[in-house]
């Protein structure tokens, strides 16, 4: 009987001490919204549901570093209106070749943002202004001009493409404003960070006409305009962040000199057709169009961050999330 009493008292004491001991705080809830630059498409390993979301994208890398509870709904080809604010039916992978019948449409990413969110990042806008279509136009016009002049710049500044591009920027401004307001409504106590785009073609030095590991047949004369287009998108995102009280994450300034024209380990950006980066052996069987491009490379990666680029983005985003209240592990 005495032994039972002692055992019971010891158990009670242990329970009391455990109750008094400091408990590890629950991890902060982090929701990531965005397009292929946020999803790190073509960086292995990626999911195979049409979004191409990589486990090495900046949301995953930052969440691992800061021990955050991550909900990552970033998706390749997402636009602010069709993808973040509304459902997304156009999916481009990787995998670049869809399954029979295509992929299932994705619900609006904004639905992942709830009152439980502590931190939200959003990186989107390039698809809304048609960046990939613009690059395609520059490739075709550069080929037609045999690499001379500024055919793409002329088309979008003085030619038939100017009015349409201005209209897309106006729509992006309205849509992004609506997106940030919706995030505030859904998660009023969350820290919000708007993630800008890293440098793609901040300088033409090192780029060669006809190199598909770089910009293919885009003329060197058009490269400064492509850079200005990206900086115009970033300026819009920065201003929208300022107006809404969100943090702007500048990934451009710290990535200059590491765009698609850089070489070796200094290049943080895939070219139009390139070899894949990231751990594992995941591959992307090229589409018929990609196979027709006369260059070596595992996939048509079309100007996206490689693993070094995704890690650079994660560096900047982790700094921003730390400033918003996340703590490093």
């Amino acid at each position: 009987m005495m032994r039972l009493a002692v055992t019971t008292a010891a158990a009670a004491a242990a329970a009391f001490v455990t109750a008094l001991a400091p408990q590890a705080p629950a991890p902060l809830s982090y929701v990531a919204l965005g397009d292929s630059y946020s999803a790190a498409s073509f960086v292995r390993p990626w999911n195979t549901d049409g979004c191409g979301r990589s486990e090495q994208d900046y949301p995953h890398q930052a969440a691992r570093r800061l021990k955050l509870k991550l909900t990552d709904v970033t998706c390749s080809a997402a636009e602010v209106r069709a993808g973040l604010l509304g459902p997304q039916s156009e999916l481009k992978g990787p995998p670049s070749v869809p399954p029979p019948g295509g992929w299932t449409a994705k619900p609006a990413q904004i639905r992942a943002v709830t009152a439980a969110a502590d931190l939200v990042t959003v990186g989107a806008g390039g698809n809304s202004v048609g960046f990939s279509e613009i690059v395609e136009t520059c490739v075709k016009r550069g080929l037609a001009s045999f690499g001379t002049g500024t055919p793409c710049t002329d088309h979008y500044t003085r030619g038939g493409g100017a009015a349409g591009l201005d209209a897309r920027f106006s729509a992006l401004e309205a849509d992004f404003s609506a997106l940030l307001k919706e995030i505030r409504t859904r998660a009023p106590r969350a820290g919000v960070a708007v993630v800008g785009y890293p440098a793609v073609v901040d300088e033409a030095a090192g780029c060669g006409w006809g190199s598909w590991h770089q910009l293919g047949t885009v003329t060197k004369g058009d490269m400064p305009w492509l850079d200005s287009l990206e900086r115009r998108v970033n300026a819009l995102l920065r201003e929208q962040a300022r107006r809404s009280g969100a943090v702007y994450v500048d990934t451009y300034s710290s990535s200059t000199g590491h765009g698609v024209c850089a070489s070796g380990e200094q290049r943080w950006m895939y070219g139009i057709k390139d070899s894949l980066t990231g751990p594992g052996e995941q591959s992307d069987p090229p589409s018929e169009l990609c196979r027709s491009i006369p260059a070596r490379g595992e996939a048509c990666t079309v100007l996206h961050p490689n693993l070094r680029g995704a890690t650079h983005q994660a560096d900047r985003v982790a700094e921003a999330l730390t400033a918003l209240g996340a703590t490093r592990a």
Side-chain angles (χ1 to χ4, degrees), residues 108-262:
Q109 293 182 27
I110 191 66
R111 290 173 56 182
V113 180
T114 68
D118 299 298
L119 301 162
V120 179
T121 59
V122 52
N127 292 326
S128 297
V129 300
F131 185 74
S132 61
E133 292 91 341
I134 290 169
V135 170
E136 182 180 352
T137 298
C138 292
V139 166
K140 291 178 178 177
R141 288 179 177 266
L143 180 61
S145 73
F146 299 99
T148 63
T150 56
C152 198
T153 305
D154 297 343
H155 175 68
Y156 285 109
T157 58
R158 298 187 294 275
L165 184 58
D166 288 340
R168 286 193 173 200
F169 268 94
S170 295
L172 173 60
E173 184 175 18
D175 290 345
F176 211 89
S177 176
L179 173 65
L180 292 177
K181 288 178 182 177
E182 183 67 13
I183 291 172
R184 290 296 188 197
T185 299
R186 288 171 170 264
R189 66 181 183 84
V192 180
V194 175
V195 183
Y197 290 93
V200 178
V201 56
D202 55 291
E203 56 182 27
C207 261
W209 189 79
S211 172
W212 295 99
H213 289 166
Q214 299 172 334
L215 285 161
T217 55
V218 176
T219 70
K220 280 199 172 185
D222 279 330
M223 293 181 192
W225 179 79
L226 275 177
D227 179 53
S228 73
L229 176 69
E230 184 190 359
R231 288 187 282 109
R232 183 179 175 185
V233 173
N234 280 341
L236 185 153
L237 299 182
R238 183 190 293 271
E239 177 60 16
Q240 288 297 313
R242 185 193 66 80
R243 290 183 180 181
S244 72
V247 170
Y248 177 70
V249 184
D250 177 10
T251 67
Y252 181 97
S253 298
S254 51
S255 60
T256 56
H258 298 282
V260 73
C261 297

